[in-house]
Amino acid sequence: MLYEKKRAFGREPIDLTNAALAVDTAAYVGQAVDAVEATAGTLDYEAENQHFPEENTLEVIGWETALSAAKGASIAFVLQSSPDGETWKDEVAFSVNEAEIVKDILIRRFTIPAQAGRHMRLKATVGGEVFTAGKILALVRPL
């Protein structure tokens, strides 16, 4: 029997102060935050008893309020998918300003295209300045 479950990118909320999240450096958020694309962890939506249903959503939620020294930090996200875990295409892209990352607030929600591949990862690039505080939870949730 197939079933669906929500799955978070990372084993815990993403700490925006992680060293991999340097300004203008792409980091990949799978099971950990990793600045090296080749070793980035992914979510596999066809692993044991899973399937990828149409109309899943990507949700990003403020886990802890974000801060930076000059209040100028931002973060750009790109949800990428792949049929084989090797060739990636962009599915959804969006940017979030520091002021939008507030504890317990839904920051963004997007429907993931039905043609998305079975493997997913989240690419994150910090802009402006580094974060000094803040965490987000990024997850895929079936509708």
Side-chain angles (χ1 to χ4, degrees):
M1 177 171 180
L2 298 175
Y3 64 95
E4 314 308 332
K5 63 181 179 180
K6 67 179 182 180
R7 298 223 235 154
F9 287 96
R11 298 193 195 295
E12 56 188 40
I14 301 160
D15 186 348
L16 297 175
T17 64
N18 187 306
L21 293 171
V23 174
D24 297 329
T25 302
Y28 295 83
V29 183
Q31 294 307 308
V33 177
D34 192 331
V36 182
E37 181 175 8
T39 60
T42 67
L43 300 181
D44 182 351
Y45 264 86
E46 291 180 18
E48 184 180 342
N49 283 336
Q50 292 289 304
H51 74 283
F52 187 77
E54 293 185 9
E55 298 182 353
N56 267 332
T57 60
L58 168 67
E59 295 183 3
V60 179
I61 301 162
W63 198 260
E64 291 180 5
T65 300
L67 296 171
S68 66
K71 309 262 185 249
S74 63
I75 188 163
F77 293 102
V78 180
L79 179 70
Q80 298 178 321
S81 78
S82 170
D84 56 11
E86 295 179 17
T87 306
W88 296 90
K89 70 175 182 170
D90 296 349
E91 298 291 348
V92 176
F94 60 99
S95 294
V96 178
N97 293 319
E98 173 186 336
E100 296 178 84
I101 304 172
V102 178
K103 182 177 172 66
D104 298 330
I105 298 295
L106 176 67
I107 299 167
R108 293 283 191 283
R109 177 183 289 141
F110 292 98
T111 300
I112 298 170
Q115 74 275 7
R118 72 180 272 182
H119 299 278
M120 292 201 183
R121 68 181 182 194
L122 192 62
K123 179 174 144 183
T125 308
V126 171
E129 62 178 313
V130 296
F131 287 92
T132 57
K135 290 184 180 179
I136 58 168
L137 181 65
L139 56 92
V140 174
R141 180 190 309 271
L143 295 178

